[in-house]
Amino acid sequence: MKELHPIDINKLTKTQQKIVDAALDLISHVGYKSTTTKKIADQAGVNETTIFKNFTSKQLLIDTAYKQHTAQITNEVDEFFSLDFDNTEDLMRKAGRFIVEMYNRHRTIVIGTVKEVGNENMKSISNYKEDYVKNSLCKKLKSFSSEHNISEQEYETIVYIFNAATLSLLMDNVRKEYMEHTNESNVGLDDIIEMMLKMLS
């Protein structure tokens, strides 16, 4: 693959940001392959030439978009898990709300990443830091180890299930938005948190 010349994700112009947002929205709806620079230009309200003047290639544009959101998610996760929590229950309840809200804020990057698993064109692009979220929660949870009697492997398993379950809530909401007939799920965030707390007790 041709080497890309990175763009400073902290110094995007308004036009560049519009293009980035349009690209991510399209990928989350139609996938990487169907997200053409022509469609991106139409959605962003710019000329297709403007895209290449700013990013030189579709791959550099997508790379920039993913890196920007990855950095934002990392900062949000670091800020949240630097807070103090009273105990395991306090941590899990607040972490559940935080993760769901964060996934919703960055839904285009989350959905796009899930949809493009296995896409060769996406291998060089950082994912939306699901592992970073899991590792951060696991580390914080272990700080309350005196409240639990579980192994290292059990911590990792619980956090894996917790993250997957919260991510599934976002995917369920997406399906409801874009499909006329969906099976209604009675499982909510509070149900997931309660189950995780039982596993930790």
Side-chain angles (χ1 to χ4, degrees), residues 131-191:
D131 285 342
Y132 193 78
V133 175
K134 288 187 293 189
N135 291 338
S136 298
L137 174 56
C138 197
K139 181 179 178 182
K140 197 71 175 182
L141 191 55
K142 288 176 186 176
S143 70
F144 294 104
S145 60
S146 61
E147 299 179 14
H148 321 130
N149 185 27
I150 61 176
S151 67
E152 179 89 12
Q153 185 65 41
E154 287 170 324
Y155 273 119
E156 292 176 6
T157 301
I158 289 169
V159 169
Y160 178 87
I161 295 170
F162 186 63
N163 192 70
T166 52
L167 179 58
S168 73
L169 293 177
L170 170 63
M171 301 311 289
D172 283 345
N173 287 335
V174 171
R175 280 190 285 271
K176 288 175 189 174
E177 287 178 25
Y178 298 109
M179 297 173 66
E180 289 185 13
H181 303 290
T182 59
N183 294 324
E184 286 291 326
S185 173
N186 294 321
V187 178
L189 177 60
D190 289 337
D191 300 308

Side-chain angles (χ1 to χ4, degrees), residues 63 66-67 70 109 113 122-129:
D63 183 70
Y66 272 64
K67 283 182 178 178
T70 295
I109 204 80
T113 303
M122 304 291 276
K123 280 191 172 180
S124 65
I125 298 173
S126 300
N127 65 23
Y128 61 88
K129 291 292 186 182

Side-chain angles (χ1 to χ4, degrees), residues 27 30-36 58-59 62 116 119 121-122:
I27 289 175
V30 301
Y32 177 90
K33 188 175 180 181
S34 296
T35 299
T36 64
K58 172 184 169 180
Q59 190 66 31
I62 304 304
E116 296 300 324
N119 184 336
N121 290 310
M122 304 291 276

Side-chain angles (χ1 to χ4, degrees), residues 9 20 23-28 31-32 59-74 106-117 119 122 124-129:
I9 58 173
V20 160
L24 287 176
D25 187 58
L26 281 166
I27 289 175
S28 72
Y32 177 90
Q59 190 66 31
L60 178 58
L61 165 56
I62 304 304
D63 183 70
T64 302
Y66 272 64
K67 283 182 178 178
Q68 183 188 59
H69 276 262
T70 295
Q72 290 171 353
I73 289 171
T74 301
H106 299 279
R107 61 185 293 164
T108 54
I109 204 80
V110 175
I111 296 166
T113 303
V114 170
K115 289 178 75 169
E116 296 300 324
V117 170
N119 184 336
M122 304 291 276
S124 65
I125 298 173
S126 300
N127 65 23
Y128 61 88
K129 291 292 186 182

